[in-house]
Amino acid sequence: MKDFERMTRKDLIVFCLMGVFAGVVIGIGGGAFLYAIASIESGWGRLVGGFLFALGMYVIISFHMRLFTGMIGEIPVMGVKNMWRLPVCLLCNTLGVFFSAFLLEYSPISEIVELRAAGLIESKLSAENWGWNALCSGTLCGILINISVWSAKQAPKRGLSASFGVILPIIVFAFCGFDHSVANMLYFYYLGEFSWRVIGYALLAVLGNVIGGVMLPFIVFFRDYHRPKPDLQPPTNE
């Protein structure tokens, strides 16, 4: 529980900086994903894009950065007093994504990324069941994100097996187009519109990420809590 001890001012600054940079790498990965699906025909573009997007999560886990969707898995042990860290982390991630989006605007891939991002989010917002889509898609993404985070902790061996466990769920969610509340901020940035529907879609994606993100941690917590305790009584000679 050391991670949830009272933060000093220095700890808070580090927490925010790690959150901002996590958003930066998510934004870069998102830009690479968009460029890949625009440049490579058929499903291969999404597959390559998903692999490139996975760079962000790999860097975040390797350097112990703070990503909102990864922190959701800590809710069962976080305690109410530490819940404020979640919205602060989401805000820092968003600032990081916006910074990456600003940099991408002046990069060689700017035009393709902007057009593809705006097109993707417009198609999601114009869907008939956009609310349910955001919630269900966000839930599926939350499940996969926490499988990725927990794979790094539970892999039998560090190295290749852990790396594969981190990257594969990210490729799956990016390939399928599930809603990642932080990565979505890149799309909203290029959309340039903040209507009530945009806000509603963003909030429902966040809620879905939370619902999906706590499933695995709560199941593991329930399993361990109800696991029979070993008998520690000394053997008797009867």
Side-chain angles (χ1 to χ4, degrees), residues 100-123:
S100 286
F102 172 77
L103 296 177
L104 286 169
E105 278 191 280
Y106 298 94
S107 73
I109 64 173
S110 60
E111 184 176 354
I112 293 176
V113 169
E114 289 176 29
L115 289 173
R116 181 62 68 167
L120 282 175
I121 196 62
E122 284 175 356
S123 66

Side-chain angles (χ1 to χ4, degrees), residues 11-88:
D11 293 334
L12 180 59
I13 292 172
V14 171
F15 178 86
C16 291
L17 289 175
M18 296 296 267
V20 170
F21 200 78
V24 170
V25 295
I26 289 294
I28 294 172
F33 170 78
L34 292 168
Y35 187 72
I37 62 176
S39 304
I40 305 174
E41 298 294 332
S42 69
W44 286 106
R46 300 189 72 88
L47 184 62
V48 172
F51 182 80
L52 296 175
F53 184 83
L55 166 70
M57 183 59 71
Y58 183 81
V59 171
I60 287 167
I61 291 177
S62 297
F63 291 91
H64 305 286
M65 295 175 187
R66 307 305 292 177
L67 182 67
F68 170 74
T69 49
M71 282 190 66
I72 289 169
E74 300 174 358
I75 287 177
V77 296
M78 187 178 291
V80 176
K81 292 182 178 180
N82 292 292
M83 289 293 181
W84 62 268
R85 302 184 189 211
L86 290 172
V88 170

